[in-house]
Amino acid sequence: MAALPDSNRSPTLEEGLRFLGTDRVELKWVEDLAGGRSMIDSAPDSAVLVTEALPLRANLSVLENMAIVPQYRHDTPYEAAADQAWQLLSRLEVTAMAFKRDPDLTSEERFQAKFLRAIMAAPPIIVIDRPGQLLPDTHYPPFLGRCLATLENHFEQCWIVDYLWNEPLYAPR
Amino acid sequence: MIQFQAINETLTRRGAATLSWLRGWGSLIWFAYSALVHALSPATYNSATRSVIQKQIYFTAWQILPGYTLFAALLSFVIIQIVVSTARDFGLSDFALETVIRVLVLEILPLVTALFVALRSSAAINTEVALMNVHNEIKALEDLGVDAMQLEFIPRVIGGTLSVLALSTVSGLMALILAYVVVYGAHPWNFPAYTLVVSKIFDLGILLGLGFKVVLFGMAVTVIPISEGLRAPSKLFFVPIAVLRGMVRLFFVLMLIEVASLALKYI
């Protein structure tokens, strides 16, 4: 998948959807929960998981949740770490959620916060585990595609682990 | 046969309860040791942990400083008045100042500070850690390469200990000033006599002992709630039980430290 013609503009839903299933964003189909677990286990240890089971820190805002990663791992001063986090939030056009805490987020915002936090850790692979659980009220494949295409320069590789019976949802409509 | 079965069941239940109690103390001692080792390691201190320490000191000490200082002043004033007037009644006025300082600054105020912090912050820490455990937040941090022990728990121990130390120092100094004013009046003429009494009480051994006791209080009010919060099973309905256990254990440990300190000094 080539980069978007203009990397500053947001991708359309169609462009986002086309981004899924490429070598950068692999779709991993599983038949059941056990299959999902073994698929996640097959990812390298350094992969970071975006899943319903791993929440944000409840007493920190989205910005702080993201900033804490470089602050802890690279001893980055808070201002620089928060600036780095703010740039990602701006890229996704979700700065309005920067100072919200987990209970105040919609499921879409919560997913975006978790994904951006994963990006801050700069892992070789980000694994999105069963996106249907993270985005229960959203037609999620175009939403995921658009988020990932917008942030394509900020992550190495992404796996989307989803149930086989959700495959039709990923077809263009 | 039925009697033997009943005895067997009772003994099994008691044994399991005793083992769980011992495991609780074991994990508490292990956590305290680990906290101490981490606190002394320079690798613990990074931008994130420093920020948590600052927040802990802000919430535990700075936010309550005016109110607590006022309360400590009031308590000190009442106790000083009682001791001074009782000593006068029994013709023991010469010992009033020394008694007041020993009772207030060395014993009551550090203990009251620890109890105050325990009621205000330890209960909150215990609940927060138990909820973090239940909601998988610790695992979420570890998945990002962030050690929850180093980021969330050790800074709370350091911040909490420094807070108890700071609040005890402020309330102790307040009591020393009030003791002078009540015993000698609000003028500086008896200051040399006063400093003589103070220097007689606070020799090096007593100062070190007081510092050590306050540090132990500070560690107890953070280490015990965190350890109990971590030990709670990952079920929401266990959170109140974890807080209850933590608070009871904390109360006994604080009393034990105080009794041990009294025994070492006076027996």
Side-chain angles (χ1 to χ4, degrees):
Chain A
M1 163 91 186
L4 290 168
D6 176 2
S7 61
N8 285 326
R9 78 170 169 84
S10 293
T12 63
L13 286 177
E14 289 71 27
E15 283 170 336
L17 206 52
R18 281 202 299 275
F19 192 50
L20 304 180
T22 62
D23 56 341
R24 291 282 307 285
V25 183
E26 287 183 41
L27 295 168
K28 306 277 189 183
W29 303 114
V30 294
E31 290 188 352
D32 51 23
L33 184 60
R37 282 190 183 144
S38 67
M39 180 63 73
I40 288 166
D41 289 344
S42 73
D45 285 343
S46 50
V48 169
L49 206 55
V50 176
T51 173
E52 179 67 10
L54 299 178
L56 298 169
R57 268 297 278 123
N59 73 344
L60 299 180
S61 66
V62 170
L63 190 77
E64 288 168 327
N65 261 289
M66 293 168 65
I68 204 88
V69 179
Q71 268 190 285
Y72 179 84
R73 288 176 50 162
H74 310 297
D75 198 12
T76 310
Y78 174 75
E79 290 74 19
D83 192 45
Q84 205 180 326
W86 188 265
Q87 281 174 21
L88 285 174
L89 289 164
S90 304
R91 182 74 192 102
L92 210 50
E93 296 171 355
V94 289
T95 48
M97 72 173 183
F99 301 104
K100 286 186 189 174
R101 292 185 182 190
D102 187 274
D104 304 321
L105 299 173
T106 64
S107 50
E108 290 181 354
E109 287 175 333
R110 193 171 294 116
F111 166 78
Q112 287 167 325
K114 285 180 181 179
F115 188 72
L116 292 175
R117 182 178 67 168
I119 286 179
M120 295 293 282
I125 300 175
I126 296 174
V127 180
I128 301 175
D129 174 32
R130 290 166 294 160
Q133 276 197 329
L134 291 155
L135 299 157
D137 306 313
T138 310
H139 178 217
Y140 57 86
F143 177 80
L144 282 179
R146 199 170 176 182
C147 283
L148 296 178
T150 307
L151 297 163
E152 67 168 337
N153 298 322
H154 299 277
F155 65 91
E156 294 287 318
Q157 202 187 3
C158 180
W159 290 3
I160 299 175
V161 178
D162 205 348
Y163 290 119
L164 194 58
W165 62 78
N166 285 331
E167 195 176 359
L169 294 174
Y170 289 78
R173 294 187 170 184
Chain B
M1 190 63 187
I2 293 169
Q3 270 181 335
F4 275 123
Q5 202 176 344
I7 292 169
N8 186 28
E9 277 173 13
T10 308
L11 285 176
T12 308
R13 265 203 311 275
R14 286 285 160 93
T18 310
L19 278 176
S20 165
W21 185 79
L22 285 173
R23 268 198 295 271
W25 283 107
S27 66
L28 174 62
I29 291 164
W30 174 250
F31 182 77
Y33 166 76
S34 184
L36 206 60
V37 170
H38 273 87
L40 295 174
S41 160
T44 300
Y45 301 92
N46 57 46
S47 165
T49 54
R50 281 195 298 271
S51 158
V52 181
I53 292 172
Q54 281 167 7
K55 278 184 191 167
Q56 191 63 48
I57 292 174
Y58 174 79
F59 288 120
T60 311
W62 186 251
Q63 214 176 39
I64 61 167
L65 189 62
Y68 182 72
T69 309
L70 203 66
F71 161 75
L74 190 68
L75 177 76
S76 303
F77 183 74
V78 171
I79 291 175
I80 292 164
Q81 282 289 8
I82 292 169
V83 173
V84 169
S85 61
T86 310
R88 195 180 299 131
D89 291 348
F90 286 93
L92 298 167
S93 294
D94 290 350
F95 302 102
L97 185 63
E98 187 173 339
T99 309
V100 154
I101 293 172
R102 280 189 186 277
V103 169
L104 262 180
V105 181
L106 298 184
E107 311 303 336
I108 293 179
L109 286 174
L111 183 63
V112 167
T113 305
L115 285 172
F116 189 81
V117 172
L119 284 172
R120 192 175 180 276
S121 298
S122 304
I125 291 174
N126 201 332
T127 313
E128 193 186 359
V129 174
L131 285 173
M132 276 179 80
N133 201 14
V134 170
H135 291 143
N136 242 359
E137 288 181 30
I138 295 168
K139 199 164 178 296
L141 286 172
E142 278 163 6
D143 190 61
L144 290 160
V146 176
D147 180 2
M149 177 81 170
Q150 214 172 358
L151 174 72
E152 295 286 351
F153 308 141
I154 303 304
R156 278 174 171 73
V157 175
I158 297 166
T161 307
L162 289 176
S163 297
V164 173
L165 204 56
L167 288 173
S168 297
T169 307
V170 169
S171 57
L173 287 173
M174 178 66 74
L176 284 174
I177 294 167
L178 280 171
Y180 178 86
V181 172
V182 171
V183 173
Y184 295 117
H187 49 74
W189 304 315
N190 287 309
F191 197 66
Y194 173 76
T195 51
L196 204 67
V197 175
V198 171
S199 62
K200 195 179 123 196
I201 297 167
F202 290 100
D203 61 23
L204 188 64
I206 290 287
L207 267 180
L208 287 175
L210 178 63
F212 185 63
K213 181 173 81 169
V214 175
V215 167
L216 282 183
F217 278 157
M219 282 191 73
V221 298
T222 45
V223 163
I224 294 170
I226 293 172
S227 167
E228 284 297 328
L230 286 173
R231 241 167 56 82
S234 294
K235 302 271 188 298
L236 207 52
F237 61 87
F238 272 110
V239 173
I241 300 168
V243 176
L244 179 148
R245 279 184 185 160
M247 291 300 100
V248 170
R249 205 177 280 253
L250 176 55
F251 176 78
F252 280 117
V253 169
L254 290 179
M255 290 304 139
L256 207 65
I257 294 169
E258 183 58 35
V259 170
S261 141
L262 286 171
L264 280 172
K265 257 181 278 182
Y266 300 108
I267 298 176

